Amino acid sequence: MLKDIIDNNENYQPGLSIDCVIFGFHDNQLKVLLIKVERANKWSLPGGFIPVDQDIDTAAITVLNSRTGVEGIFLRQFATFGKVNRNHQHFDKKTLEYLQIEEEKGKWLMRRFVTIGYYALVDFSKILPNPTGRMEIVEWIDHKEVPELILDHREILDKALDTLRIELNLMPIGYNLLPEKFTIPELQKLYETILDKKLDRRNFLRKITNIGILTKLDEKKSNVAHKAPNLYSFDKEKYDEVLKNGLNQGW
Amino acid sequence: MLKDIIDNNENYQPGLSIDCVIFGFHDNQLKVLLIKVERANKWSLPGGFIPVDQDIDTAAITVLNSRTGVEGIFLRQFATFGKVNRNHQHFDKKTLEYLQIEEEKGKWLMRRFVTIGYYALVDFSKILPNPTGRMEIVEWIDHKEVPELILDHREILDKALDTLRIELNLMPIGYNLLPEKFTIPELQKLYETILDKKLDRRNFLRKITNIGILTKLDEKKSNVAHKAPNLYSFDKEKYDEVLKNGLNQGW
């Protein structure tokens, strides 16, 4: 609760916060997890403050877990945002009163807050949007239909999506997002949805095969009229190796 | 001066700093700018604090300019570091006394400091290492011979070099680092020095030509016995375009 944090603000890093861009993929849709608190008219990214006794990465994991209810999700720091006017001046006297926060204590919130951005990519069908049960609206919203956001949250979201698209060139993707057995066209759709563009079928097949993380199974997709496509699975050992060392398609 | 900052610490963002990894390239050597303050036995990266009335990116530019004396250098934020034990506890009572900092004021420095990392790549032959004339040793040190650094500066440096190597796949490099007219072997040497590995001559030529940022000049390198190599220059307009939009060698 915000009141608890502000009343005990000496336990938190001053002027520093975390914002998480949680992308959700399912059935060829890319959505983003957004929050609207009571009384607010704009949406925001899920975020939090940094306890003095937690590493920043740990604090980010805490935010993600408290919002999604799942652990072990791939979470990556991507940028830190700190314009001079990045403050919570929209918390006016009335809002503080409503939240039962003393004006003197509330000053802690009014200074410039630099925020560290993290992004995650999850299968949104497997996740409860609001396991904490706070008095907030929490929704998965299509990334192309994002409403007005508070502060610089739109900039943070855009930067996260840019980073995700760039990192598709540096790391593999798909584990935890696709069924255990999948077809190449399904994997291609995942890339196309994130990149928001059509990809050439042959080029995609060649590139994805060259990475060496796929195992071709001795099975075809059922329930398909004719020319049933082959099924594949990820070679998890090689997948993790490439995730760690990066795609070697550089110089 | 540290004393001035600490005496007026209300003008600075608490618990937050900037550290710059300034890589210097010249004549096929990759060095890094390091600093040793009087009385210290370890080296450190050049860094600074963030005035409350400056954007974090502006504060980073200020640090870079004050250390190199040049403006308009390519500077990029790459990561933020904030382990729980990231503090300046090595500033003991004696050091504070020596710096004429009151113990009470000095407490500002003792909490966990989260630091935002920026990196730059400059031609070190064109830069004064210490235009501020502070009482510090400032040196360009070969990146393979870096001595012991304070705090987590080694981790910050390693992460910056990793990022630079990855970003070679995303952006062009060489402007301001090579003479106006250069040969392909000279450009290849730049890449090889940063990547710390040999590259195949034909592959490099093909890839670098495909980017479309080079202008082949109607001149050959002089003072070369036979088979004088062609000279090239950067097409600055296309170079800036690719720098802005990224290398399009993705999916």
Side-chain angles (χ1 to χ4, degrees), chain A residues 13-16 51-56 77 80 82-84 111-112 166 168-170 191 199 207 250-251, chain B residues 13-16 51-56 77 80 82-84 111-112 114 166 168-170 191 199 207 250-251:
Chain A
Q13 198 75 9
L16 199 62
V52 290
D53 60 355
Q54 271 187 17
D55 291 351
I56 56 171
Q77 191 200 103
T80 294
K83 293 248 167 69
V84 164
R111 65 177 311 141
R112 183 238 309 251
I166 286 170
L168 281 192
N169 296 310
L170 306 173
Y191 279 77
L199 300 174
K207 283 189 180 173
W251 297 93
Chain B
Q13 197 76 9
L16 198 62
V52 290
D53 60 355
Q54 271 187 18
D55 291 349
I56 56 171
Q77 191 200 103
T80 294
K83 293 248 166 72
V84 165
R111 66 177 311 142
R112 184 240 308 253
V114 172
I166 286 170
L168 281 192
N169 296 311
L170 306 172
Y191 278 78
L199 299 175
K207 284 188 180 175
W251 296 93

Side-chain angles (χ1 to χ4, degrees), chain A residues 82-106:
Chain A
K83 293 248 167 69
V84 164
N85 61 0
R86 203 184 181 290
N87 57 45
H88 299 90
Q89 300 287 354
H90 55 286
F91 274 81
D92 56 9
K93 224 170 161 175
K94 270 200 167 168
T95 310
L96 290 181
E97 263 172 34
Y98 176 80
L99 294 170
Q100 295 177 296
I101 292 167
E102 287 169 46
E103 205 180 334
E104 193 53 36
K105 285 273 185 185

Side-chain angles (χ1 to χ4, degrees), chain A:
Chain A
M1 287 287 294
L2 188 60
K3 179 177 163 48
D4 295 337
I5 289 169
I6 290 176
D7 284 351
N8 301 289
N9 64 57
E10 68 280 3
N11 298 333
Y12 293 86
Q13 198 75 9
L16 199 62
S17 61
I18 278 172
D19 281 295
C20 288
V21 182
I22 307 175
F23 292 112
F25 177 82
H26 187 72
D27 205 12
N28 302 329
Q29 292 173 72
L30 185 66
K31 302 193 174 197
V32 59
L33 193 72
L34 294 177
I35 286 173
K36 198 152 78 90
V37 292
E38 249 185 307
R39 286 171 56 90
N41 47 22
K42 291 182 190 173
W43 292 77
S44 61
L45 296 168
F49 299 97
I50 303 168
V52 290
D53 60 355
Q54 271 187 17
D55 291 351
I56 56 171
D57 288 351
T58 309
I61 292 169
T62 307
V63 171
L64 182 68
N65 290 353
S66 76
R67 295 303 184 170
T68 62
V70 291
E71 300 195 8
I73 287 178
F74 174 85
L75 182 69
R76 188 177 285 236
Q77 191 200 103
F78 65 95
T80 294
F81 302 82
K83 293 248 167 69
V84 164
N85 61 0
R86 203 184 181 290
N87 57 45
H88 299 90
Q89 300 287 354
H90 55 286
F91 274 81
D92 56 9
K93 224 170 161 175
K94 270 200 167 168
T95 310
L96 290 181
E97 263 172 34
Y98 176 80
L99 294 170
Q100 295 177 296
I101 292 167
E102 287 169 46
E103 205 180 334
E104 193 53 36
K105 285 273 185 185
K107 281 182 184 161
W108 183 78
L109 201 61
M110 294 307 158
R111 65 177 311 141
R112 183 238 309 251
F113 264 75
V114 171
T115 198
I116 311 171
Y118 285 79
Y119 85 85
L121 184 55
V122 301
D123 180 341
F124 66 74
S125 74
K126 291 179 184 158
I127 278 168
L128 292 165
N130 186 20
T132 58
R134 298 188 213 186
M135 295 295 283
E136 295 167 338
I137 310 169
V138 183
E139 269 184 34
W140 287 106
I141 296 180
D142 192 289
H143 78 288
K144 288 185 177 173
E145 289 163 14
V146 169
E148 200 179 347
L149 303 179
I150 63 162
L151 291 170
D152 55 356
H153 284 200
R154 178 80 223 189
E155 186 193 336
I156 297 173
L157 170 56
D158 289 345
K159 178 80 178 174
L161 189 54
D162 281 352
T163 307
L164 173 60
R165 286 172 176 162
I166 286 170
E167 296 202 335
L168 281 192
N169 296 310
L170 306 173
M171 64 186 193
I173 206 166
Y175 187 75
N176 269 335
L177 296 176
L178 294 175
E180 203 195 328
K181 298 172 184 181
F182 52 87
T183 66
I184 297 286
E186 283 168 345
L187 185 57
Q188 182 171 337
K189 266 286 177 196
L190 168 63
Y191 279 77
E192 289 182 337
T193 306
I194 294 171
L195 294 169
D196 194 25
K197 67 176 183 188
K198 280 270 167 206
L199 300 174
D200 178 75
R201 193 176 60 82
R202 277 158 181 267
N203 265 339
F204 182 80
L205 178 63
R206 181 178 51 77
K207 283 189 180 173
I208 204 78
T209 311
N210 281 346
I211 299 174
I213 53 172
L214 295 179
T215 307
K216 193 171 182 174
L217 303 174
D218 200 16
E219 281 177 68
K220 301 215 170 204
K221 194 167 170 97
S222 51
N223 303 325
V224 180
H226 64 129
K227 265 202 164 185
N230 249 102
L231 285 168
Y232 290 78
S233 69
F234 287 116
D235 180 333
K236 193 64 195 346
E237 204 173 306
K238 285 195 186 145
Y239 186 99
D240 287 342
E241 199 183 300
V242 177
L243 197 60
K244 188 164 161 270
N245 300 325
L247 291 184
N248 188 18
Q249 53 180 24
W251 297 93

Side-chain angles (χ1 to χ4, degrees), chain B residues 117-234:
Chain B
Y118 286 78
Y119 84 85
L121 183 55
V122 301
D123 181 341
F124 67 73
S125 74
K126 292 180 184 157
I127 278 166
L128 293 165
N130 185 20
T132 57
R134 299 187 211 186
M135 295 294 285
E136 295 166 338
I137 309 169
V138 182
E139 269 184 35
W140 287 107
I141 296 180
D142 192 288
H143 77 288
K144 288 184 177 174
E145 288 163 14
V146 169
E148 201 181 345
L149 303 179
I150 64 161
L151 291 169
D152 55 357
H153 284 200
R154 178 81 225 188
E155 186 193 338
I156 298 173
L157 169 57
D158 289 344
K159 178 82 178 174
L161 190 54
D162 281 351
T163 306
L164 172 60
R165 286 172 177 162
I166 286 170
E167 296 201 338
L168 281 192
N169 296 311
L170 306 172
M171 63 185 194
I173 206 164
Y175 187 75
N176 270 334
L177 296 176
L178 293 175
E180 204 196 327
K181 299 172 183 181
F182 52 86
T183 65
I184 298 286
E186 283 167 347
L187 185 56
Q188 182 171 337
K189 266 286 178 195
L190 169 62
Y191 278 78
E192 289 181 339
T193 305
I194 294 170
L195 294 169
D196 195 24
K197 66 175 183 190
K198 280 270 168 206
L199 299 175
D200 178 74
R201 193 176 58 83
R202 280 159 178 264
N203 265 339
F204 182 79
L205 178 63
R206 180 178 53 78
K207 284 188 180 175
I208 203 80
T209 310
N210 281 346
I211 299 175
I213 53 172
L214 295 178
T215 308
K216 193 172 182 172
L217 304 174
D218 201 16
E219 280 177 68
K220 301 218 170 204
K221 193 168 172 94
S222 52
N223 302 324
V224 179
H226 63 128
K227 265 203 164 184
N230 249 102
L231 284 168
Y232 290 78
S233 69
F234 287 117

